[in-house]
Amino acid sequence: MRTLLLCVLVLAAPALADDADFEALRADLVDEVRIYAGYAGDDPFSDAVLGVIGRVERHKFVPMQQARYAYENRPLPIGHGQTISQPYIVALMTDLLEPEDTHVVLEVGTGSGYQAAVLAELVDHVYSIEIIEALATSAGKRLQSLGYDNVTTKLGDGYYGWEEHAPFDSIIVTAAASHVPPPLIEQLKPGGKMVIPVGGRFMTQLLLLLEKGDDGEIVTRQIGAVRFVPLTGEH
Amino acid sequence: MRRLLFATLLVSAAAIGYEILLMRVLSIVQWHHFAYMIISLALLGYGASGTFIAVLRSRLESRFETAFATSALLFSMAMLACFVAAQRVPFNALEIVWDSGQFLNLTVVYLVFFVPFFFAACCIGLAFTCRGGDASRIYFFDLFGAGLGAVLAIALLFIASPQTALVLLVLLPLAASGLVASMLASRLPLAGVQFTWLALLAFGIPQAHLDLRISEYKGLSQALQVIDSRILDQSSSPLGYITVVDSPTVPVRHAPGLSFNTRHIPPEQLAVFTDADGMSAITRYDGDPGSVAHLGDLTAALPFGLLEEPAVLILGAGTGSDVLMSLYHGASRVDAVELNPQMTELVAQRHADFAGRIYDDPRVTVHTDEARGFVSRNDDAYDLIQIGLLDSFGASGAGVQALNESYIYTVEALRAYLDDLGDGGLLAITRWIKMPPRDSVKLLATAIDALRQSGVSEPGQNIAMIRSWNTSTLLVKNGAFTSAEIERIREFARSRSFDTAYFPGMRAAEANRFNRLAEPYLHDAAVALLSDSSGNFLERYKFDVEPATDDRPYFFHFFRWQTLPEVMALRTAGGAGLIEWGYLVLVATLVQAAVLGLVLILLPLSLVRRTWPAGTGRNFGFYFLLLGLAFLFVEMAFIQKFTLFLSNPLYSVAVVLSGFLVFAGLGSAASERLARSLPWRGVSPVSVAVAAIAVLALVYVFILPAVFGRFIGLADPAKIAVSLALIAPLAFFMGMPFPLGLTRLSGLAAGFVPWAWGINGFASVVSAVLATLLAIEFGFNVVIVLALALYALAAWDEAVSRSR
């Protein structure tokens, strides 16, 4: 069924007006992501996170020519040398943050706005900063038109976080940098979590999960997107 | 005739020049490994043209001048048109895992670049075929032109942008076309096109068409997307395409592995990109050490925690970050070695005020030199030799450097560094950490091997390693670490939330505390590598982390075939980053070369009517196949080997390629004389040539390291002369088996000659890529030995076919 739908989409994507087709594809995607969750670890993704992956209309966050691939579990180019992450990675990052409906989240790197939209369905408010003007403008408009009133975006330097809305329950940095900006660590609440994907564009395979203890001590964990043991046999 | 000879020289020069230019351009717009693709392409063009001429020979012979002039003109036009067209193919190497359409795009790029080389080769092939009586003179001008083209391209790249160099090179075949057209009685239509093309070149090509279209996923493209960012400086040379970017609104802050506990934010920086990637940074420094206090909170600062006012040698000074770090920590003397003078100029002159004039500090001496060469000549003893991060994490992470030879991180290199340390001195090497670890484990293995080879019985006493979440710093001491030093390492790491990966006497429980990995990989690796079962560990590791050596200097190559099925199965589940793509692109290039070689060279040949006796194919086909494989094996291995000596892959390609061309040409010219003057009855001249090749190549395998060590400190022109002197005798004899076989074939079955060219061309196409793959797996010496086996097999085959 999915293949058939994809064929239809490929041939007639511009003419497609019925969101029901996309909804079916999204349901298939959720099933795929659910299976993939087993690759990273033993814990399945929370139903809330999977529910959101099944609700947020990813095809509205990618350029029109990419819409037909929107529900394939792969990253897609969104222009300006940027990508929208693979849905599985989005689900994994979101799940790692353990979002709650009272949480205030900071996102550094709005991109197309998809990750912000996913978070917005789960938390109280998302503040998102983008450094590329064209993306900031389009993502802001897109989120607004899709009714994500609890997302606030701005164009600017994410290095210093967003002081007036700090501290944050969690922070998600979507572009890997040479170091974790100290101001972001400062703006993270004690007990808060920060997630940073590591790896080149199209190739995220590792997430850095930074946890701030109640005493302010920082501990990180490197979460592989897949379980991969580098040694064969006994070790 | 003279005009034809000069025309041949011009076409040949342009072809080689274009090949070198494309290698440079592809390194900028894509990545380094496409260079290998280009060599293979050029040969494919040459092979296919031979077939084309064989098929249409009778029709082309009667219109030789027109055909030559037209081919030269088309070559000139295709050089530019294909340069523009190929950059418009939306090939994205990084997307290959997700989008199989990218393989199609890669094939299109390959085919587009094939076109100009095809027309160039048509010119040369036509000259040989239709003016065979002057073959030796044509051959000389062809080879001399090729040598000249290589030198010309390098010279042009020093003084002009790649685009300007291209336009100048395009004029050469146009001039060749004009020269040959002037021999025609009726030349009006052709002259019209030539003149129009010249006028277009002079006035009509909009600069925008020639702009380099850099992949939007390379660092420079990404940086320029940031609000208000702008290019401050751009310069180009064969050593690199350097771009300085200022981003006032979102300042660059490059501080790899900065501690989470730091209270110091790095100051504003200028981003510097080499070949549009590999970002490094010039840090603003106002003379107040407090403004760069973050430099104390990087893993790379570890050695300064153990040394007081050290004399420091920095290998790869780049944009001066390590110099600034040394000054910040109170170094008494800093010798900074940097290969690329453009890079030094940025810090010393163009942005000297921004950088706080650190290169004017009386403690600092900057040497424009290659690291290995400097170290081998140096007599001073340093307290610290520092090798910092010169590549960006992006490049490191995507596996795109897999094919870069790096003679900085080999066992021989580390031994040379240790020799330059005073008693108790430290070698410090900082690397990005990949997960699961690859670089850092290979570095540990390389350091342990270097220590063992230097006669250290317990290398575990001389090494220490710490890591942040994304960088590791390895210390190798000239002597055993003392307990006081170990305590300082512990404290340095603990206070900055860095993890200790290894130090003498470390307990397993001390690893993996702040930046927790699924397992304490680096500690486990260090313990395993220091144990008696290190071989077992290296074998069982899913990435290739065997120590890099000068014979196999692929430090960044981690690919293992055994791991491929597992990571391919995981690729869409987030495992794409586990795959070493650079290597797989090379394999894809090999497959393409083989398929396209069959389709474009061998398939059309089947259209040629068979006029040769039965058994010719068996007697000669194998011979020319073996020669094609063997010649390129030796040539490619030498290009790689001379990269260490000449300090730059591009110099190496230019010198080795032109050296082999010229001296093989001379050998070819002398082959008939050799055949006539052999004193031994019954001994084939091919066997004599092959024996000479075998002796020379084997001698080189043993003496080249010593010769390189002896002369590496010379100036570039002298090193080029030494290289050519070494290449000359070997290439001279390697030029003989082919024409000797061809002469014999002409007498027995002239109709098979195009097949001989075709088979040889096909083998060359495949061999160019295969040689690199074999070198990565087994080292250059194995490639050379394999080549000798192929030569020996060819000589045996020839002897057998003679006896039939």
Side-chain angles (χ1 to χ4, degrees), chain A residues 32 36 39 66 72-83 86 88-89 130-133 155-160 176-180 182-183 185 196 198-206 208 210 217-223 225-235, chain B residues 92 94-95 97-99 216-217 222 225-227 249-251 253-258 260-262 264-266 393 397-398 432 435-438 468-470 497 513-519 521 537 539-543 563 566-567 569-578 581:
Chain A
E32 202 177 330
Y36 276 35
Y39 285 99
Q66 301 286 351
E72 290 186 17
N73 188 21
R74 66 186 243 200
L76 291 170
I78 56 167
H80 309 280
Q82 306 301 308
T83 53
Q86 186 184 3
Y88 161 60
I89 296 290
E130 173 58 52
I131 52 173
I132 298 172
E133 190 165 9
L155 175 70
D157 186 1
Y159 192 88
Y160 288 102
S178 68
H179 63 276
V180 182
I185 294 176
I196 304 174
V198 180
R201 306 251 162 234
F202 298 101
M203 291 196 189
T204 299
Q205 56 138 141
L206 198 72
L208 180 77
L210 183 148
E217 189 184 78
I218 305 298
V219 171
T220 73
R221 280 192 290 148
Q222 309 241 0
I223 314 284
V226 290
R227 266 181 302 185
F228 182 85
V229 182
L231 267 177
T232 55
E234 296 281 311
H235 64 284
Chain B
N92 177 13
L94 303 180
E95 213 178 348
V97 63
W98 305 105
D99 180 7
E216 60 178 328
Y217 301 103
Q222 305 257 315
Q225 292 286 344
V226 175
I227 34 172
T249 306
V250 182
R253 293 184 194 86
H254 188 63
L258 184 64
F260 298 133
N261 304 347
T262 190
H264 314 289
I265 290 178
F393 182 74
W432 295 105
M435 280 299 149
R438 279 156 262 185
S468 68
W469 68 276
N470 65 346
S497 292
R513 288 167 63 177
F514 301 103
N515 303 283
R516 293 175 193 160
L517 311 175
E519 302 280 336
Y521 291 121
F537 172 83
E539 206 171 292
R540 288 195 297 129
Y541 209 72
K542 287 182 185 169
F543 296 98
T563 312
E566 185 182 353
V567 292
L570 294 173
R571 75 186 195 284
T572 52
L578 295 167
W581 289 105

Side-chain angles (χ1 to χ4, degrees), chain B residues 134-300:
Chain B
D134 275 311
S136 60
R137 277 206 293 167
I138 293 172
Y139 209 44
F140 175 75
F141 275 80
D142 172 31
L143 295 172
F144 186 70
L148 202 68
V151 176
L152 179 71
I154 299 277
L156 280 176
L157 285 169
F158 265 117
I159 55 172
S161 69
Q163 296 97 312
T164 310
L166 172 69
V167 173
L168 292 172
L169 284 175
V170 163
L171 294 174
L172 301 183
L174 177 59
S177 178
L179 271 174
V180 176
S182 69
M183 294 156 74
L184 284 166
S186 157
R187 54 180 185 257
L188 256 186
L190 201 57
V193 182
Q194 287 165 346
F195 185 77
T196 311
W197 179 231
L198 180 64
L200 258 174
L201 285 174
F203 307 108
I205 310 262
Q207 188 57 37
H209 281 76
L210 293 175
D211 281 347
L212 298 181
R213 294 198 163 196
I214 296 164
S215 162
E216 60 178 328
Y217 301 103
K218 292 192 89 173
L220 173 61
S221 308
Q222 305 257 315
L224 291 175
Q225 292 286 344
V226 175
I227 34 172
D228 301 332
S229 63
R230 64 198 171 108
I231 293 177
L232 282 188
D233 253 328
Q234 206 152 40
S235 62
S236 173
S237 87
L239 294 169
Y241 182 76
I242 309 282
T243 314
V244 182
V245 175
D246 181 27
S247 181
T249 306
V250 182
V252 176
R253 293 184 194 86
H254 188 63
L258 184 64
S259 164
F260 298 133
N261 304 347
T262 190
R263 294 173 188 283
H264 314 289
I265 290 178
E268 183 190 349
Q269 295 172 326
L270 298 176
V272 180
F273 296 91
T274 304
D275 285 350
D277 221 10
M279 192 190 98
S280 48
I282 303 175
T283 302
R284 179 187 285 285
Y285 184 50
D286 57 11
D288 169 20
S291 69
V292 291
H294 71 286
L295 293 171
D297 288 332
L298 306 174
T299 58

Side-chain angles (χ1 to χ4, degrees), chain B residues 21-35:
Chain B
L21 179 76
L22 284 186
M23 287 171 69
R24 193 80 277 286
V25 167
L26 285 176
S27 293
I28 298 168
V29 299
Q30 292 280 338
W31 283 277
H32 171 83
H33 43 275
F34 289 91

Side-chain angles (χ1 to χ4, degrees), chain A residues 6-107:
Chain A
L6 268 176
C7 291
V8 171
L9 280 171
V10 168
L11 295 171
L16 264 177
D18 190 356
D19 283 350
D21 296 332
F22 284 119
E23 204 173 315
L25 289 173
R26 253 191 326 270
D28 287 345
L29 177 66
V30 170
D31 290 340
E32 202 177 330
V33 169
R34 184 178 285 125
I35 296 166
Y36 276 35
Y39 285 99
D42 297 327
D43 297 336
F45 291 154
S46 76
D47 288 341
V49 169
L50 288 174
V52 172
I53 298 292
R55 278 202 303 280
V56 178
E57 298 172 303
R58 191 173 184 243
H59 67 277
K60 293 185 175 167
F61 291 85
V62 297
M64 199 182 285
Q65 66 272 23
Q66 301 286 351
R68 61 191 186 210
Y69 307 119
Y71 296 105
E72 290 186 17
N73 188 21
R74 66 186 243 200
L76 291 170
I78 56 167
H80 309 280
Q82 306 301 308
T83 53
I84 180 171
S85 296
Q86 186 184 3
Y88 161 60
I89 296 290
V90 172
L92 182 56
M93 290 198 292
T94 311
D95 200 63
L96 285 171
L97 292 178
E98 296 179 24
E100 291 174 17
D101 55 11
T102 56
H103 279 182
V104 177
V105 180
L106 173 69
E107 180 187 39

Side-chain angles (χ1 to χ4, degrees), chain B residues 19-25 27 32 35 150 153-154 157 237-240 405 639 643 646-656:
Chain B
E19 192 177 329
I20 288 171
L21 179 76
L22 284 186
M23 287 171 69
R24 193 80 277 286
V25 167
S27 293
H32 171 83
I154 299 277
L157 285 169
S237 87
L239 294 169
E405 309 88 44
I639 287 175
T643 302
L646 296 169
S647 311
N648 181 301
L650 203 67
Y651 285 1
S652 182
V653 168
V655 171
V656 175

